[in-house]
Amino acid sequence: KGGLLRSRSRSCLRMGLNECSREQPENVVIVGSGPAGYTAAIFAARANLKPVVFEGISSGPPGGQLMTTTMVENFPGFPEGVMGPELVRNMRRQALRWGAEMIEEDVIEVNIRGRPFTVKTPERDVDTHAIIFATGATANRLMLPNEYEFWNRGISSSAVCDGTAPMFRDQVLGIVGGGDTAIEEAI
């Protein structure tokens, strides 16, 4: 019986029917689609938890900041480096292969006051036993002239990742930021 309710609930999710999602809560909902969200989806799916991933759309394409990154040279398993979008696509495909369900919608509200929890999007409400928040970060831009033109071509959001690249060795670099992060990256 539980399997029937579960499959009915999942097909209602796919069809965008709000009313059926209440029949049986999802095991786990993941909010976010960067490396943390997709990694959580892979592990949850491999554990047969059938995760539902809300990838979001308003803060940029699903995949997080890696979608705007060129060569990623510090990710294990890629000795020659890998392009950020390719890495994200591979993570997403791996999560799908194990049974994660991806929904390209923004989460607009979460109710954790009672169980099951409720995750709301403009299209649906989904009840769930657990929520993993993997919403990531967004680089703050300075809105300098030509900033978008030179993004990842001299202007970047990670001094640790990009400041040590061969093209920047023995060059004078500027780091903009405040607090511990800027100091740590400058050192």
Side-chain angles (χ1 to χ4, degrees), residues 58-61 64-66 68 135-141 143 148 151 157:
S58 67
S59 63
Q65 288 189 73
L66 277 180
T68 62
T135 54
T138 303
N140 291 326
R141 299 207 178 188
M143 302 304 163
Y148 283 93
W151 194 257
S157 61

mmCIF file of all heavy atoms in Angstrom, residues 58-61 64-66 68 135-141 143 148 151 157:
data_model
loop_
_atom_site.group_PDB
_atom_site.id
_atom_site.type_symbol
_atom_site.label_atom_id
_atom_site.label_comp_id
_atom_site.label_asym_id
_atom_site.label_seq_id
_atom_site.Cartn_x
_atom_site.Cartn_y
_atom_site.Cartn_z
ATOM 1 N N SER A 58 15.263 31.148 -10.067
ATOM 2 C CA SER A 58 15.368 32.612 -10.055
ATOM 3 C C SER A 58 16.766 33.115 -9.730
ATOM 4 O O SER A 58 17.122 34.218 -10.107
ATOM 5 C CB SER A 58 14.365 33.215 -9.074
ATOM 6 O OG SER A 58 14.700 32.866 -7.748
ATOM 7 N N SER A 59 17.591 32.323 -9.048
ATOM 8 C CA SER A 59 18.930 32.799 -8.694
ATOM 9 C C SER A 59 19.980 32.397 -9.722
ATOM 10 O O SER A 59 21.169 32.544 -9.499
ATOM 11 C CB SER A 59 19.320 32.275 -7.313
ATOM 12 O OG SER A 59 19.379 30.871 -7.321
ATOM 13 N N GLY A 60 19.543 31.889 -10.849
ATOM 14 C CA GLY A 60 20.470 31.484 -11.896
ATOM 15 C C GLY A 60 20.158 30.068 -12.319
ATOM 16 O O GLY A 60 19.252 29.439 -11.790
ATOM 17 N N PRO A 61 20.919 29.559 -13.254
ATOM 18 C CA PRO A 61 20.629 28.209 -13.738
ATOM 19 C C PRO A 61 20.915 27.171 -12.654
ATOM 20 O O PRO A 61 21.794 27.372 -11.819
ATOM 21 C CB PRO A 61 21.592 28.040 -14.917
ATOM 22 C CG PRO A 61 22.715 28.975 -14.624
ATOM 23 C CD PRO A 61 22.095 30.140 -13.891
ATOM 24 N N GLY A 64 24.326 26.043 -9.515
ATOM 25 C CA GLY A 64 25.076 26.943 -8.644
ATOM 26 C C GLY A 64 26.187 27.687 -9.352
ATOM 27 O O GLY A 64 26.203 27.827 -10.577
ATOM 28 N N GLN A 65 27.132 28.156 -8.550
ATOM 29 C CA GLN A 65 28.219 28.984 -9.074
ATOM 30 C C GLN A 65 29.114 28.236 -10.060
ATOM 31 O O GLN A 65 29.774 28.865 -10.884
ATOM 32 C CB GLN A 65 29.073 29.527 -7.925
ATOM 33 C CG GLN A 65 28.362 30.598 -7.126
ATOM 34 C CD GLN A 65 29.298 31.273 -6.151
ATOM 35 O OE1 GLN A 65 30.156 32.050 -6.571
ATOM 36 N NE2 GLN A 65 29.134 30.972 -4.882
ATOM 37 N N LEU A 66 29.134 26.913 -9.978
ATOM 38 C CA LEU A 66 29.959 26.166 -10.937
ATOM 39 C C LEU A 66 29.490 26.374 -12.372
ATOM 40 O O LEU A 66 30.264 26.177 -13.309
ATOM 41 C CB LEU A 66 29.956 24.670 -10.616
ATOM 42 C CG LEU A 66 30.931 24.221 -9.537
ATOM 43 C CD1 LEU A 66 30.831 22.713 -9.328
ATOM 44 C CD2 LEU A 66 32.360 24.605 -9.885
ATOM 45 N N THR A 68 28.966 29.091 -13.753
ATOM 46 C CA THR A 68 29.627 30.280 -14.298
ATOM 47 C C THR A 68 31.141 30.185 -14.153
ATOM 48 O O THR A 68 31.842 31.163 -14.357
ATOM 49 C CB THR A 68 29.121 31.567 -13.608
ATOM 50 O OG1 THR A 68 29.439 31.492 -12.211
ATOM 51 C CG2 THR A 68 27.633 31.734 -13.790
ATOM 52 N N THR A 135 21.575 25.527 -0.341
ATOM 53 C CA THR A 135 21.280 26.693 -1.170
ATOM 54 C C THR A 135 22.514 27.449 -1.638
ATOM 55 O O THR A 135 22.398 28.359 -2.446
ATOM 56 C CB THR A 135 20.334 27.648 -0.422
ATOM 57 O OG1 THR A 135 20.904 27.971 0.854
ATOM 58 C CG2 THR A 135 18.975 27.007 -0.230
ATOM 59 N N GLY A 136 23.690 27.078 -1.155
ATOM 60 C CA GLY A 136 24.914 27.647 -1.685
ATOM 61 C C GLY A 136 25.100 29.120 -1.401
ATOM 62 O O GLY A 136 24.562 29.665 -0.446
ATOM 63 N N ALA A 137 25.855 29.737 -2.251
ATOM 64 C CA ALA A 137 26.209 31.145 -2.093
ATOM 65 C C ALA A 137 26.169 31.820 -3.452
ATOM 66 O O ALA A 137 26.132 31.163 -4.489
ATOM 67 C CB ALA A 137 27.607 31.269 -1.492
ATOM 68 N N THR A 138 26.192 33.112 -3.431
ATOM 69 C CA THR A 138 26.245 33.892 -4.654
ATOM 70 C C THR A 138 27.379 34.894 -4.516
ATOM 71 O O THR A 138 27.491 35.568 -3.495
ATOM 72 C CB THR A 138 24.921 34.658 -4.882
ATOM 73 O OG1 THR A 138 23.867 33.707 -4.904
ATOM 74 C CG2 THR A 138 24.942 35.428 -6.178
ATOM 75 N N ALA A 139 28.198 34.968 -5.514
ATOM 76 C CA ALA A 139 29.301 35.929 -5.487
ATOM 77 C C ALA A 139 28.753 37.338 -5.568
ATOM 78 O O ALA A 139 27.873 37.623 -6.383
ATOM 79 C CB ALA A 139 30.247 35.665 -6.651
ATOM 80 N N ASN A 140 29.257 38.203 -4.721
ATOM 81 C CA ASN A 140 28.895 39.617 -4.807
ATOM 82 C C ASN A 140 29.753 40.270 -5.867
ATOM 83 O O ASN A 140 30.974 40.148 -5.852
ATOM 84 C CB ASN A 140 29.115 40.319 -3.462
ATOM 85 C CG ASN A 140 28.142 39.857 -2.422
ATOM 86 O OD1 ASN A 140 26.994 39.554 -2.737
ATOM 87 N ND2 ASN A 140 28.581 39.804 -1.184
ATOM 88 N N ARG A 141 29.111 40.925 -6.777
ATOM 89 C CA ARG A 141 29.848 41.601 -7.846
ATOM 90 C C ARG A 141 29.915 43.088 -7.547
ATOM 91 O O ARG A 141 29.069 43.640 -6.855
ATOM 92 C CB ARG A 141 29.173 41.335 -9.181
ATOM 93 C CG ARG A 141 29.167 39.828 -9.467
ATOM 94 C CD ARG A 141 29.146 39.527 -10.895
ATOM 95 N NE ARG A 141 29.179 38.086 -11.127
ATOM 96 C CZ ARG A 141 29.311 37.564 -12.309
ATOM 97 N NH1 ARG A 141 29.419 38.334 -13.363
ATOM 98 N NH2 ARG A 141 29.331 36.271 -12.458
ATOM 99 N N MET A 143 29.998 45.489 -9.950
ATOM 100 C CA MET A 143 29.367 46.255 -11.033
ATOM 101 C C MET A 143 30.348 47.240 -11.670
ATOM 102 O O MET A 143 30.012 48.365 -12.002
ATOM 103 C CB MET A 143 28.101 46.979 -10.556
ATOM 104 C CG MET A 143 27.061 46.059 -9.981
ATOM 105 S SD MET A 143 26.653 44.794 -11.188
ATOM 106 C CE MET A 143 25.848 43.605 -10.168
ATOM 107 N N TYR A 148 31.493 41.907 -16.361
ATOM 108 C CA TYR A 148 30.934 40.672 -16.929
ATOM 109 C C TYR A 148 31.797 40.149 -18.079
ATOM 110 O O TYR A 148 31.968 38.947 -18.233
ATOM 111 C CB TYR A 148 29.483 40.881 -17.387
ATOM 112 C CG TYR A 148 28.539 40.889 -16.213
ATOM 113 C CD1 TYR A 148 28.178 42.075 -15.600
ATOM 114 C CD2 TYR A 148 28.025 39.696 -15.705
ATOM 115 C CE1 TYR A 148 27.339 42.080 -14.502
ATOM 116 C CE2 TYR A 148 27.191 39.682 -14.613
ATOM 117 C CZ TYR A 148 26.840 40.885 -14.009
ATOM 118 O OH TYR A 148 26.015 40.874 -12.921
ATOM 119 N N TRP A 151 34.758 38.369 -16.432
ATOM 120 C CA TRP A 151 34.487 37.374 -15.395
ATOM 121 C C TRP A 151 35.132 36.050 -15.820
ATOM 122 O O TRP A 151 34.965 35.598 -16.950
ATOM 123 C CB TRP A 151 32.974 37.207 -15.207
ATOM 124 C CG TRP A 151 32.662 36.461 -13.947
ATOM 125 C CD1 TRP A 151 32.291 35.172 -13.837
ATOM 126 C CD2 TRP A 151 32.719 36.982 -12.627
ATOM 127 N NE1 TRP A 151 32.114 34.844 -12.520
ATOM 128 C CE2 TRP A 151 32.366 35.936 -11.754
ATOM 129 C CE3 TRP A 151 33.045 38.232 -12.093
ATOM 130 C CZ2 TRP A 151 32.318 36.096 -10.369
ATOM 131 C CZ3 TRP A 151 32.993 38.385 -10.720
ATOM 132 C CH2 TRP A 151 32.637 37.330 -9.874
ATOM 133 N N SER A 157 35.606 35.148 -8.371
ATOM 134 C CA SER A 157 35.052 35.237 -7.025
ATOM 135 C C SER A 157 35.806 34.365 -6.037
ATOM 136 O O SER A 157 35.375 34.206 -4.910
ATOM 137 C CB SER A 157 33.574 34.834 -7.044
ATOM 138 O OG SER A 157 33.453 33.501 -7.482
#
